[in-house]
Amino acid sequence: MSILLQRLAPDADGLAAAAQVLRDGALVAFPTETVYGLGADARNDAAVAGIFAAKARPSFNPLIVHVADIAMARRYVTFNDVAERLAAAFWPGALTLVLPLRADAGIAPLVTAGLPTLAVRVPDHPVGQGLLAAFDGPIAAPSANPSGRISPTTAAHVATGLGGRIGALIEGGASGVGVESTIVSCATPPKLLRAGGVPQEALEACLGTALTRDETPERVIAPGQLESHYAPNAKLRLNAAMAAPDEVLLGFGPVDATFNLSPAGDVIEAAAKLFEMLHRMDAAGVPKIAVSPIPEVGLGRAINDRLRRAAADR
Ligand code: TXA
Ligand code: MG
């Protein structure tokens, strides 16, 4: 089924129209500071099912629910000390907290894929926040890309990947952070489930303890945790000092490359450009990509995580 894509401006009229699309049980793609999200009313099971259908996403993968602020998050999950600290320090922002789902939350079961926990996040983006205000309810939203493909950081990426399959797209410019949110399970002890826009070092400094990594939490097979994910059409070779004759270099730092994530060697700039450059190399029909080494610090951890998955066999 093909639905005519409504393109909306990121102004009051566009946000009101987008909120109505959500109320009607349809899907709205919208910008956040990390990547574009594909949103549905988190209380409407049929609407949430539409997300899985549009992305062709395996339905056992639970979704992140976006809320306007901490007060709104408390309606759906039970906070503990770790969550209080992290939310106070990093919300709004690129951090998702996994917490016990409240019995009276009213969140569609498909959102949590039957888990007793819910992932919540407060986006730090005027359009994401504007949509939450206009809709005045919880918005379930994974990244707005077909399952397993490169995440979208511009409206054009969304239109190319999902154009015929969603109700509306709010065109709000490029996502500034460029990689998805960091996901932390606030169980005891807290665990890092996905590296992302808030560096692990910053979380550990806030909590005063080291975070253990748990990439395969029990009963959850997260798409961001699957081996092959964020995949471009090209084959990737990582930690490459230079490109072979049949490869195109995706550079980092002072290397000679048409595509360079950050000539200055800045991991924050590189994160912001990562998915855009992979999309552009795909559009240019590049068959093989060699990637410069990226330091495993700060946002470099999230970049390397995405690159490893993009390079995995599929
Ligand atoms: O930056 C982001 O997080 C973006 C924007 C749109 O907010 N969203 C995003 O969503 O990346 P998605 O669906 O692509 O990734 C959500 C991740 C998945 O790895 C999923 O398995 C995990 O969150 N997740 C959701 N609920 C969970 C839960 N209850 N326990 C553990 N992991 C959970
Ligand atoms: Mg995703």
Side-chain angles (χ1 to χ4, degrees):
M1 182 183 56
S2 166
I3 308 162
L4 189 64
L5 178 64
Q6 222 185 322
R7 288 179 178 250
L8 301 171
D11 56 17
D13 286 352
L15 293 172
Q20 190 55 48
V21 172
L22 291 176
R23 275 180 219 113
D24 291 342
L27 308 181
V28 175
F30 63 98
T32 82
E33 78 279 30
T34 56
V35 299
Y36 271 65
L38 180 60
D41 182 345
R43 300 158 300 193
N44 179 337
D45 237 324
V48 173
I51 292 179
F52 294 103
K55 285 181 64 87
R57 176 171 177 152
S59 54
F60 44 74
N61 294 325
L63 303 174
I64 296 172
V65 167
H66 297 67
V67 292
D69 51 29
I70 298 183
M72 189 172 171
R74 291 187 204 284
R75 290 190 222 158
Y76 309 112
V77 290
T78 307
F79 274 62
N80 58 20
D81 287 351
V82 164
E84 296 287 356
R85 274 212 217 179
L86 293 177
F90 299 103
W91 279 359
L95 177 66
T96 295
L97 300 178
V98 175
L99 287 163
L101 176 70
R102 278 177 55 157
D104 61 351
I107 296 293
L110 259 185
V111 170
T112 55
L115 294 170
T117 53
L118 179 69
V120 286
R121 163 164 125 77
V122 176
D124 184 15
H125 192 286
V127 179
Q129 280 289 341
L131 182 62
L132 283 161
F135 178 57
D136 193 24
I139 301 176
S143 48
N145 53 301
S147 196
R149 309 303 305 192
I150 309 166
S151 293
T153 54
T154 68
H157 296 161
V158 179
T160 305
L162 294 175
R165 308 198 204 168
I166 60 180
L169 163 61
I170 309 178
E171 306 198 276
S175 295
V177 175
V179 290
E180 293 86 346
S181 60
T182 303
I183 305 181
V184 173
S185 155
C186 298
T188 314
K191 285 186 182 139
L192 185 72
L193 301 185
R194 177 175 77 181
V198 172
Q200 182 176 347
E201 294 91 329
L203 298 169
E204 292 177 338
C206 172
L207 293 175
T209 105
L211 281 174
T212 53
R213 269 198 88 132
D214 184 356
E215 299 210 332
T216 52
E218 236 176 290
R219 297 187 55 219
V220 179
I221 303 171
Q225 293 159 350
L226 293 178
E227 271 292 294
S228 170
H229 197 63
Y230 309 99
N233 294 318
K235 263 188 100 54
L236 261 75
R237 183 169 68 88
L238 307 184
N239 294 313
M242 57 196 293
D246 63 340
E247 292 174 331
V248 175
L249 185 65
L250 178 58
F252 178 86
V255 291
D256 182 17
T258 310
F259 298 94
N260 196 321
L261 292 168
S262 172
D266 175 358
V267 287
I268 295 175
E269 180 188 13
K273 287 193 183 159
L274 176 67
F275 292 142
E276 167 66 16
M277 288 215 162
L278 290 175
H279 277 284
R280 271 171 50 200
M281 294 175 95
D282 255 5
V286 171
K288 290 185 178 182
I289 301 173
V291 189
S292 296
I294 316 271
E296 186 74 7
V297 293
L299 290 199
R301 295 171 188 273
I303 297 171
N304 284 324
D305 172 79
R306 305 303 186 271
L307 285 171
R308 275 193 296 273
R309 293 174 203 282
D313 281 338
R314 37 189 138 107

